[in-house]
Amino acid sequence: MIRRILLPALFVAVACSAANGETERPAGSAASAAMSPMPSGPTPPAGTAWVIFGTDTAFAEVARTAAEREVGLMNRESLESNHGMIFVYDAPEVLSFWMKNTLIPLDVAFMDESFRVTEIQSMEPESEDLHTAREPALAALEMDKGWFAERGIGPGAVARIVWGR
């Protein structure tokens, strides 16, 4: 009960600080250059990030290393509402994803160095079809299939990201 009351207030505070540009990119990659100072308020737990599109927030596990990116969301039967995974790379590259051993349908949003969505592709469970970005991307956000469309998030949308510490 307390979680349901506190979380909306927390998200508003984070969205407000993120809207003011108070985010930092994760350490250990080309994304490590600070965009601006870290927010003074709450932050997500280490290994996670809040990916904020206007008033919509995705709660994402961060896959930063090659090993984390290789496993991704494999072998999961479901995702909590508004939860997903953000894959972060050292430098922009043409990214390809597949759904081998991934049991739930997902959409993937490819993002450039400014965390601007360049395209979104739908991926079917357990498919080995490659979903390749048309242009180099620094990050990719995987969410439940339909999550982006339900919120009107498409190419051109820019995410503000608060990285866990």
Side-chain angles (χ1 to χ4, degrees):
M1 182 72 156
I2 292 174
R3 184 176 180 199
R4 289 184 181 176
I5 294 169
L6 293 179
L7 286 178
L10 178 68
F11 302 142
V12 170
V14 170
C16 290
S17 65
N20 291 324
E22 297 176 351
T23 59
E24 180 177 286
R25 297 180 189 203
S29 70
S32 64
M35 294 170 62
S36 60
M38 284 294 292
S40 58
T43 59
T48 66
W50 294 327
V51 184
I52 305 162
F53 294 96
T55 60
D56 295 301
T57 301
F59 307 95
E61 296 174 46
V62 178
R64 185 176 291 125
T65 67
E68 292 168 339
R69 292 189 300 254
E70 185 177 325
V71 174
L73 293 172
M74 285 183 178
N75 301 311
R76 301 197 193 183
E77 295 180 1
S78 64
L79 287 174
E80 288 185 53
S81 178
N82 297 317
H83 283 69
M85 181 171 282
I86 189 166
F87 298 77
V88 183
Y89 293 81
D90 292 333
E93 60 184 271
V94 176
L95 303 177
S96 290
F97 286 75
W98 69 350
M99 297 286 284
K100 182 178 181 180
N101 299 322
T102 304
L103 308 175
I104 49 179
L106 299 171
D107 285 341
V108 59
F110 295 103
M111 294 184 269
D112 65 16
E113 290 177 280
S114 299
F115 297 104
R116 179 183 61 85
V117 174
T118 57
E119 67 181 293
I120 298 172
Q121 296 185 26
S122 292
M123 304 185 296
E124 294 302 320
E126 301 188 79
S127 169
E128 294 187 21
D129 294 341
L130 287 180
H131 297 274
T132 303
R134 291 188 294 256
E135 59 187 75
L138 184 67
L141 176 63
E142 287 184 345
M143 298 295 291
D144 272 324
K145 188 172 186 172
W147 189 88
F148 297 103
E150 290 167 6
R151 288 155 182 80
I153 299 167
V158 178
R160 300 208 186 274
I161 303 178
V162 179
W163 304 100
R165 304 188 230 168

